[in-house]
């Protein structure tokens, strides 16, 4: 496994390097942060002084060198706006986003997969029809709209859940449900189609012919094989949840890293943008490695480092 | 689209007309009915008999009639005189009655106020939802501009208080005295303390000014948001422990006012030097009417009433000791979610709610809608300084022709926009901020009204029968309904012959271009016009530091405009200054140097228990110190 993982890790480091380089270049293209925060009646001298202080007057290659040197030393620079270390801005919000993403991921698993299995084993029935309709609605409805709808029903009309903010468990329910909406629908459809494909295989008929309990056939033989294709998608979904939670964070006033990056982009707060994107890139890379590892456990035929 | 907006307006007018017409019809019908109530036949017969008798006796009675007529005339004169006397008496009585009823109304109002005051819950707290938060809580820093300062500025108190017009008055932390145009003497009042209990000293004021002007020894590179406002300051020195002398490096009529602006921060020297800029940005100690308690960036800012606040509730000026015992600001960026939080009872005040959402909520009776001018007199600035038409190289810039500028003003139906897209409470603006500054009183009579036909004629007269091609730039999403009203304006301009390409632009790009004077097209000017005095307007219109003269005039009167600005900036007599600036406004308006629009109105929605009677004529935001929670 190690002989397989080491190249993968090295490959991932290269990916991260490319990503942060692109982010460095991209963030410099979106505008000048001094224009965003300088007092409107600031003199040109004052603006130039600020630019010098932040190192923005240096040639781009010098700025890039300083940036890479900082990354290697885990010094990502200070936020232009709060003047605090950029990592200190991202870190407290990172857990909030991870918490939200994990909760949404759990919902995707507990909603999408069982309903997908149910729809597959009762193909053509009313539950299947309902599941397919739910999947369609879940994928078609924009999540900001779903969020506002949930707020209206469960907070304004029923008064069961808080509208926004990050407090207790009850604050997590609606944002997680909103974030999970699209993913759960996608997981449901994938599980259903995967299960239908597996259920039509000979070995399933063999298992049934051997007199195995239906539950055993579905869980041990069908679902496990159907999940193999689903794992990659779910893994990418988990990574995307972290990066794609911005809208949900805005609607539910969830103090996460997505909103921070969004705001930092509008303010041209380069250091914070760079740290935020670096974290997301790392998250993607780690998830991908974990997916690779998980194959080994899900399918014994796959031998990591060997021939599949 | 123009037709759409004007149709809406016409439809409203026609409904009014219909109402009036039906009212007239009702009166007419009633009159006819009353006439119809009499016995027509009997009346006609009597008249005929009288006429016959008159004919028979006409000659004999002629002399007698003349005598009677003379007698009647004399009687009528007497009656008229009597009536005049009666009327005079009646008027006197009416006036007396009016005065009496006014006095009664005032007494009743005072009584109601007393009852209302009894109903104020002084232990109540409130939660307000805001769309954005500052990045740090140091009100002095330009870095705090990332969010609505309204969610933080109540922690800070200025050196001097303000009157309802927004002008500084001596009192509060200190008294002042001008030494001609040379210096401002600040004398501290006793018993004023920071939130941590430390006394506010003249040294703290000196430190504050030094910090905000980049002269503080501990950090000369401090990124101040107030350098412009304090640009008049020269050296300052402590005369004694309670007195500070601030030299006027550049004599300014607005010197005292700049130390009284809303949110102006006074820093505690010892505390700030102890915790540093970073620490202060996270935990500010100041002199405001609310004390900071704690915050979680992107989540909430908690505050409590500063019970040691030196301006009590009976104090003549503002701010004063708050009614609310505590206040929590919550960050809810999404407007719909802010409204939902209010409806769910999670917050008591939802800030910055567009009128289309706020007004229906107010109509339910369950909420109070607060309106106040946003202190932004919107206008479209025209590229008059460019010689050549950017769309037709070699041709003169059409905007340099006054007729084209007037045509643009005549093309835009500002009233239809404010009535149909905005709240309907927006005032047409004749200058940067007509509400606070006022404008020459006769100017409304010369207003460029809505006259598309005249606009077309003027364009044709100026030689632009085929239209004037132009971009129209605005900052998308900066103001309530800005996309809507800019689309309406663009369409109205198109209707009279302008070929408009509407361009929503990003703020950073826009400000950079504006700063570097690279904008070659008309643009919606995003400058706040939050002037707190006439003097500050004089400074603002002449803010040559970053932008060109905001008051641009092409005619021979440019020199006169410069003279007026220069004189107004150094004129200490308020009335004379007002005259100077009135002249300036008049020249500028009649030159049609901008497309004049309206002053934005800010709308907020509060739970019915919260009441707010604005103290300032033009409050910059909901006055938190003045917000009352009534007992339920």
């Amino acid at each position: 496994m190690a002989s397989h993982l080491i190249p993968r890790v090295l490959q991932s480091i290269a990916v991260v390097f490319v990503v942060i380089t692109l982010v460095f270049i991209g963030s410099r293209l979106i505008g000048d942060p001094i224009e965003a925060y300088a007092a409107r009646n600031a003199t040109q001298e004052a603006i130039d002084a600020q630019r010098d202080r932040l190192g923005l007057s240096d040639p781009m290659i010098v700025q890039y060198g300083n940036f890479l040197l900082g990354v290697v030393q885990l010094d990502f620079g200070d936020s232009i706006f709060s003047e605090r270390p950029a990592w200190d801005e991202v870190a407290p919000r990172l857990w909030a986003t991870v918490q939200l993403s994990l909760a949404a991921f759990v919902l995707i698993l507990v909603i999408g997969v069982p309903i997908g299995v149910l729809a597959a084993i009762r193909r053509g029935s009313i539950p299947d029809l309902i599941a397919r309709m739910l999947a369609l609605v879940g994928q078609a409805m924009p999540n900001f709209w779903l969020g506002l709808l949930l707020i209206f029903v469960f907070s304004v009309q029923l008064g069961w859940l808080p509208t926004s903010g990050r407090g207790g468990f009850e604050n997590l329910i609606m944002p997680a449900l909103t974030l999970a909406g699209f993913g759960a629908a996608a997981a449901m459809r994938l599980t259903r189609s995967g299960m239908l494909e597996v259920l039509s295989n000979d070995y399933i008929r063999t298992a049934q012919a051997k007199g195995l309990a239906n539950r055993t056939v579905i869980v041990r033989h069908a679902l496990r094989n159907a999940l193999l294709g689903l794992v990659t998608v779910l893994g990418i979904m988990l990574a995307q949840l972290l990066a794609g939670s911005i809208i949900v964070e805005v609607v539910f006033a969830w103090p996460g890293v997505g909103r921070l990056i969004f705001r930092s982009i509008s303010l041209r707060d380069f250091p914070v943008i760079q740290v935020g994107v670096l974290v997301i890139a790392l998250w993607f890379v780690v998830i991908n490695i974990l997916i690779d590892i998980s194959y080994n456990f899900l399918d014994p035929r796959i031998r990591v480092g060997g021939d599949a | 689209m123009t037709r759409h907006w004007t149709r809406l307006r016409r439809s409203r007018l026609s409904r009014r007309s219909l109402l009036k017409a039906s009212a007239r019809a009702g009166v007419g019908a009633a009159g006819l009915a009353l006439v119809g109530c009499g016995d027509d036949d009997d009346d006609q017969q009597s008249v005929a008999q009288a006429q016959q008798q008159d004919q028979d006796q006409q000659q004999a009675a002629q002399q007698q009639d003349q005598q009677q007529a003379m007698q009647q005339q004399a009687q009528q004169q007497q009656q008229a005189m009597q009536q005049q006397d009666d009327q005079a008496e009646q008027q006197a009585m009416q006036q007396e009655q009016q005065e009496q009823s006014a006095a009664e109304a005032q007494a009743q109002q005072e009584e109601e106020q007393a009852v209302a005051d009894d109903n104020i819950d002084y232990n109540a707290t409130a939660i307000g939802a805001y769309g954005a938060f500052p990045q740090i809580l140091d009100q002095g820093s330009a870095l705090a501009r990332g969010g609505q300062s309204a969610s933080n500025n109540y922690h800070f108190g200025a050196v001097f208080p303000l009157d309802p017009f927004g002008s500084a008055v001596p009192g509060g932390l200190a008294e002042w005295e001008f030494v001609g145009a040379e210096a401002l003497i600040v004398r501290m009042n006793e018993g004023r303390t920071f939130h941590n209990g430390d006394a506010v000293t003249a040294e703290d004021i000196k430190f504050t000014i030094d910090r905000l002007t980049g002269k503080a020894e501990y950090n000369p590179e401090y990124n101040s948001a107030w350098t412009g406002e304090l640009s008049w300051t020269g050296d300052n020195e402590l005369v004694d422990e309670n007195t500070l002398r601030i030299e006027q490096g550049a004599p300014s009529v607005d010197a005292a006012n700049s130390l009284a602006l809303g949110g102006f921060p006074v820093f505690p020297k010892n505390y700030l030097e102890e915790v540093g800029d970073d620490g202060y940005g996270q935990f500010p100690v100041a002199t405001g009417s609310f004390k900071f308690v704690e915050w979680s960036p992107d989540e909430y800012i908690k505050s409590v009433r500063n019970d040691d606040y030196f301006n009590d509730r009976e104090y003549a000026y503002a701010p004063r000791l708050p009614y609310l015992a505590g206040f929590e600001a919550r960050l809810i960026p999404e407007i719909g979610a802010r409204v939902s939080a209010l409806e769910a009872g999670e917050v008591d005040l939802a800030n910055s709610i567009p009128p289309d959402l706020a007004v229906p909520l107010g109509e339910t009776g369950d909420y109070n809608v607060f309106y106040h001018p946003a202190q932004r007199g919107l206008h479209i600035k025209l590229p008059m300084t460019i010689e050549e038409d950017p769309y037709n190289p070699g041709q003169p810039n059409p905007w340099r022709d006054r007729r084209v500028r007037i045509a643009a003003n005549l093309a835009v139906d500002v009233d239809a926009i404010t009535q149909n897209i905005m709240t309907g409470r927006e005032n047409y603006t004749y200058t940067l901020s007509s509400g606070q500054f006022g404008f020459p009183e006769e100017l409304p009579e010369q207003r460029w009204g809505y006259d598309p036909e005249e606009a077309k004629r003027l364009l044709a007269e100026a030689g632009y029968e085929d239209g004037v091609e132009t971009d129209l730039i605005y900052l998308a999403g900066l103001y309530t309904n800005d996309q809507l009203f800019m689309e309406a304006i663009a369409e109205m301009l198109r209707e009279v012959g302008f070929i408009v390409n509407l361009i929503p632009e990003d703020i950073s790009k826009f400000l950079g271009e504006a700063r570097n004077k690279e904008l070659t097209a008309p643009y919606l000017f995003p400058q706040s016009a939050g002037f707190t005095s006439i003097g500050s307007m004089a400074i603002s219109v002449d803010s040559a530091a970053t932008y060109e003269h905001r008051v641009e005039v092409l005619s021979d009167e440019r020199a006169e405009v410069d003279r007026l600005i220069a004189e107004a900036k150094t004129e200490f007599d308020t009335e004379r200054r007002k005259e100077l600036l009135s002249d300036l406004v008049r020249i500028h308006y009649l030159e049609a140097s901008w497309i004049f629009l309206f002053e934005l109105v800010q709308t907020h929605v509060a739970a019915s228990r919260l009441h707010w009677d604005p103290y300032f004529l033009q409050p910059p935001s909901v006055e938190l110190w003045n917000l009352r929670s009534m007992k339920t």
Side-chain angles (χ1 to χ4, degrees):
Chain A
M1 186 188 283
S3 61
H4 175 73
L5 274 182
I6 289 168
R8 290 284 289 158
V9 169
L10 291 174
Q11 190 185 359
S12 301
I13 290 170
V15 168
V16 170
F17 175 76
V18 170
V19 168
I20 58 175
T21 301
L22 288 175
V23 170
F24 176 86
I25 296 166
S27 59
R28 262 76 184 168
L29 293 176
I30 57 175
D32 184 351
I34 306 298
E35 295 293 355
Y37 82 74
R40 284 186 182 157
N41 46 11
T43 60
Q44 192 57 47
E45 291 73 28
I47 291 168
D48 292 343
Q50 289 297 331
R51 203 169 268 129
D52 291 343
R53 189 176 67 82
L54 295 167
L56 298 171
S57 306
D58 295 335
M60 189 72 93
I61 191 71
V62 175
Q63 291 184 45
Y64 182 61
N66 291 335
F67 167 64
L68 287 182
L69 199 64
V71 171
V72 172
Q73 296 169 338
L74 296 182
D75 175 6
F76 303 102
D78 292 346
S79 159
I80 293 172
F81 278 80
S82 70
E83 295 190 331
R84 298 170 66 210
W87 173 250
D88 289 357
E89 290 290 320
V90 173
R93 293 167 174 94
L94 186 61
W95 171 235
T97 299
V98 168
Q99 189 186 22
L100 178 61
S101 302
L102 290 177
F105 188 66
V106 169
L107 284 174
I108 288 172
L109 290 179
V110 301
I111 295 171
V113 176
I115 296 180
V117 171
L118 184 73
I121 59 178
R122 296 196 180 179
R123 186 183 184 182
S125 66
I126 290 177
D128 181 28
L129 188 70
I130 293 171
R132 279 189 289 157
M133 280 177 61
L134 281 176
L136 199 65
V137 170
Q139 287 194 293
M141 188 179 279
N143 57 4
F144 75 90
W145 177 248
L146 175 63
L148 289 173
L149 202 66
L150 290 175
I151 288 174
F152 181 74
V153 174
F154 293 103
S155 302
V156 178
Q157 295 299 316
L158 299 173
W160 291 353
L161 296 168
T163 57
S164 57
R166 183 175 175 234
F169 176 72
E170 67 275 14
N171 289 80
L172 186 60
I173 296 172
M174 286 197 297
L177 206 57
T178 306
L179 190 58
F182 183 89
M188 194 189 302
R189 295 181 74 170
L190 280 169
T191 308
R192 181 181 177 276
S193 60
M195 282 291 287
L196 286 174
E197 190 183 332
V198 172
L199 286 171
S200 65
N201 284 341
D202 290 343
Y203 66 88
I204 295 293
R205 276 196 291 278
T206 306
Q208 285 168 335
K210 281 166 67 179
L212 289 177
N214 203 31
R215 187 176 171 179
T216 308
V217 173
I218 289 168
V219 174
R220 289 194 60 186
H221 296 277
L223 183 58
R224 190 170 178 180
N225 285 298
L227 279 182
L228 201 59
L230 195 62
V231 163
T232 310
V233 178
L234 286 174
I236 292 168
M237 223 178 256
L238 178 58
Q240 282 176 335
L241 287 174
L242 189 82
S245 59
I246 295 172
I247 291 172
V248 175
E249 287 179 6
V250 168
V251 170
F252 291 98
W254 190 265
V257 75
R259 220 173 71 197
L260 177 73
I261 293 173
F262 179 72
R263 192 185 58 204
S264 301
I265 289 170
S266 65
L267 296 174
R268 283 80 175 142
D269 197 345
F270 299 155
V272 177
I273 298 170
Q274 285 156 186
V275 179
V277 175
L278 177 65
V279 165
I280 290 172
L282 284 172
W283 174 264
F284 263 89
V285 163
V286 169
I287 296 279
N288 270 302
I289 293 173
L290 289 176
I291 290 168
D292 280 358
I293 295 170
S294 70
Y295 283 152
N296 188 49
F297 297 100
L298 284 168
D299 189 348
R301 292 173 302 175
I302 298 173
R303 291 287 174 268
V304 176
D307 297 327
Chain B
M1 190 174 290
T2 306
R3 287 193 186 121
H4 172 67
W5 303 121
T6 48
R7 193 167 57 237
L8 280 172
R9 184 161 171 257
R10 281 177 197 142
S11 130
R12 287 186 182 191
L13 286 172
S14 64
R15 278 176 206 158
R16 282 193 201 123
S17 306
L18 281 172
L19 277 173
K20 281 181 185 172
S22 63
R24 286 194 196 108
V27 171
L32 287 172
L34 281 172
V35 171
C37 283
D39 188 342
D40 295 350
D41 295 340
D42 289 350
D43 283 347
Q44 283 172 2
Q45 197 173 0
S46 303
V47 172
Q49 285 174 353
Q51 283 174 345
Q52 185 63 41
Q53 285 173 0
D54 282 346
Q55 283 174 359
D56 294 342
Q57 299 172 1
Q58 191 175 9
Q59 200 168 2
Q62 195 171 15
Q63 196 172 0
Q64 192 178 351
D65 287 346
Q66 282 174 350
Q67 285 174 351
Q68 281 177 351
M70 287 173 70
Q71 282 175 355
Q72 280 174 354
Q73 195 174 358
Q75 280 174 353
Q76 280 171 354
Q77 281 175 350
Q78 278 183 343
Q79 281 172 354
M81 287 172 71
Q82 184 66 37
Q83 277 175 351
Q84 279 178 355
D85 289 344
D86 289 347
Q87 278 176 356
E89 200 174 334
Q90 275 180 349
Q91 279 175 353
M93 282 174 69
Q94 278 175 355
Q95 194 173 349
E96 198 177 334
Q97 281 172 352
Q98 280 173 355
E99 284 172 359
Q100 196 177 350
S101 54
E104 283 172 4
Q106 191 179 350
Q108 192 180 349
Q109 200 176 353
E110 282 172 4
E111 195 178 334
E112 284 171 0
Q113 185 63 44
V115 173
D117 286 347
D118 285 345
N119 282 331
I120 295 172
D121 185 352
Y122 295 96
N123 296 318
T125 59
I127 299 172
Y130 292 83
F133 265 14
Q135 302 293 293
I136 56 173
L137 300 180
D138 177 1
Q139 188 77 358
S141 172
L143 303 173
R145 287 173 183 262
Q148 289 168 323
S149 59
S151 55
N152 180 43
N153 65 4
Y154 43 82
H155 298 134
F156 295 87
V159 182
F160 306 118
L162 293 166
D163 69 11
F165 298 94
S167 293
V169 285
L173 285 179
E175 309 296 325
W176 84 60
E177 183 189 332
F178 276 103
V179 183
E182 292 171 18
L184 178 72
I185 306 289
V186 176
R187 285 196 183 84
M188 304 307 296
N189 286 322
E190 285 185 6
R192 301 338 192 202
T193 57
F194 287 106
H195 294 154
N196 62 359
D198 290 352
V200 184
T201 64
E203 194 177 4
D204 291 313
I205 307 294
K206 175 177 165 49
F207 173 76
T208 296
I209 292 170
D210 285 347
R211 185 179 191 236
L212 293 176
T213 52
K215 294 175 191 163
E217 286 176 11
Y218 86 102
N219 181 13
E221 291 187 346
Y222 177 68
N223 187 13
S224 167
W226 298 83
T227 46
E229 286 79 359
L230 296 177
S231 59
W232 58 272
T233 57
D235 293 336
N236 60 70
E237 62 170 339
L238 287 170
V239 178
D240 57 51
E241 61 180 9
N242 286 320
T243 313
L244 176 68
R245 179 186 169 97
I246 309 169
E247 300 296 333
Q248 294 202 53
S252 168
V253 296
D254 214 36
N257 238 75
S258 68
L259 300 178
L261 295 170
F264 182 89
V266 174
F267 305 118
K269 182 173 187 284
N270 293 338
Y271 173 76
L272 211 150
E273 286 182 341
E274 183 189 326
V275 300
D277 286 344
D278 292 352
Y280 193 78
Q282 297 303 309
F283 200 108
V285 166
T287 61
S289 57
F290 280 89
K291 279 198 274 193
F292 171 76
V293 176
E294 64 167 321
W295 84 313
S296 174
D298 285 359
E299 284 189 81
Y300 60 81
I301 303 171
K302 291 181 180 173
S303 317
V304 292
R305 179 172 57 216
N306 177 10
D307 282 317
D308 297 325
Y309 196 58
F310 33 87
N311 297 339
D312 62 24
R313 294 192 187 102
E314 274 68 49
Y315 186 61
Y317 303 108
R320 303 173 189 153
L321 181 66
Y323 297 94
L324 291 173
F327 185 76
E328 179 182 335
R330 278 201 198 152
L331 177 61
I332 305 181
E334 213 283 318
I335 293 167
R338 282 210 291 284
V339 171
S340 294
L342 180 71
E343 289 181 301
E346 291 174 20
V347 303
D348 308 292
L349 172 67
N351 281 277
S352 302
I353 302 300
D356 57 315
L357 287 174
V359 173
L361 282 171
E363 285 170 356
T364 64
D366 296 330
Y367 304 96
N368 289 325
V369 181
F370 300 151
Y371 299 91
H372 67 84
Q375 297 191 333
R376 287 176 189 273
L378 292 182
H379 60 269
I380 292 171
K381 191 167 180 182
L382 303 172
M384 291 159 50
T385 51
I386 303 163
E387 297 280 347
E388 197 172 283
D389 185 354
Y391 300 92
N392 296 296
Q395 297 298 312
N397 176 5
W399 295 109
R400 293 177 70 84
D401 190 322
R402 181 170 176 261
R403 290 167 297 186
V404 174
R405 301 196 300 270
I406 293 173
N409 274 280
L410 293 172
V412 179
D413 190 350
V414 177
D415 291 343
I417 290 171
T418 56
Q419 288 295 325
N420 298 309
I421 303 177
M422 311 305 286
T423 67
R425 294 168 183 253
E426 290 78 9
N427 289 322
Y428 180 78
T429 181
Y430 296 82
T431 178
L432 280 171
S433 180
S434 58
Q436 283 192 335
F437 165 62
F439 42 81
E441 287 178 3
E442 80 286 359
L443 210 47
E445 293 166 15
Q446 295 169 277
R447 173 179 166 174
W448 309 118
Y450 175 57
D451 192 344
E453 293 309 315
E454 177 65 6
K456 285 177 192 169
R457 193 194 66 76
L458 281 172
L459 279 184
E461 186 184 303
Y464 295 101
E465 297 91 345
D466 299 331
V468 172
E469 191 176 353
T470 182
D471 287 341
L472 179 56
I473 299 168
Y474 73 104
L475 295 177
L478 199 64
Y479 307 123
T480 303
N481 291 343
D482 53 8
Q483 191 179 347
L484 276 175
F485 72 69
M486 285 308 291
E487 280 175 1
I489 289 169
E491 198 56 36
M492 288 170 177
L493 289 169
R494 285 181 194 124
E495 290 246 332
V496 302
F498 290 91
I499 303 158
V500 179
N501 177 29
L502 188 63
I503 302 175
E505 206 165 79
D506 165 78
I507 188 164
S508 176
K509 183 170 181 282
F510 174 86
L511 288 178
E513 288 175 350
R515 199 187 297 278
N516 299 325
K517 302 172 178 60
E518 292 167 353
L519 289 168
T520 57
Y523 57 89
L524 181 71
F525 197 66
Q527 176 60 37
S528 164
F531 308 122
T532 52
S533 72
I534 294 165
S536 64
M537 177 179 170
I539 292 166
S540 294
V541 293
D542 192 30
S543 178
T546 49
Y547 302 106
E548 290 179 81
H549 283 297
R550 288 174 193 160
V551 174
E552 286 184 68
V553 172
L554 280 183
S555 67
D556 297 340
E557 295 188 274
R558 175 72 258 179
E560 175 66 0
V561 165
D562 286 338
R563 185 192 69 77
L564 289 167
I565 290 174
E567 201 174 324
K569 284 171 73 175
T570 52
E571 177 57 66
F572 279 75
D573 182 278
T574 308
E575 286 307 311
R576 173 66 188 141
R577 199 160 66 233
K578 190 170 179 178
E579 284 174 21
L580 292 167
L581 288 167
S582 289
D583 290 346
L584 172 69
V585 168
R586 186 183 299 106
I587 294 171
H588 183 240
Y589 184 79
L590 295 178
E591 276 291 307
S593 301
W594 301 334
I595 301 176
F596 295 88
L597 298 175
F598 52 85
E599 288 181 329
L600 279 174
V601 166
Q602 200 82 16
T603 319
H604 316 277
V605 189
S608 58
R609 74 177 170 95
L610 289 183
H611 288 243
W612 176 42
D613 296 318
Y615 165 82
F616 290 109
L617 292 179
Q618 289 213 315
S621 59
V622 175
E623 299 154 344
L624 213 56
W625 60 269
N626 198 13
L627 203 57
R628 302 157 199 225
S629 178
M630 310 313 280
K631 290 173 185 166
T632 51

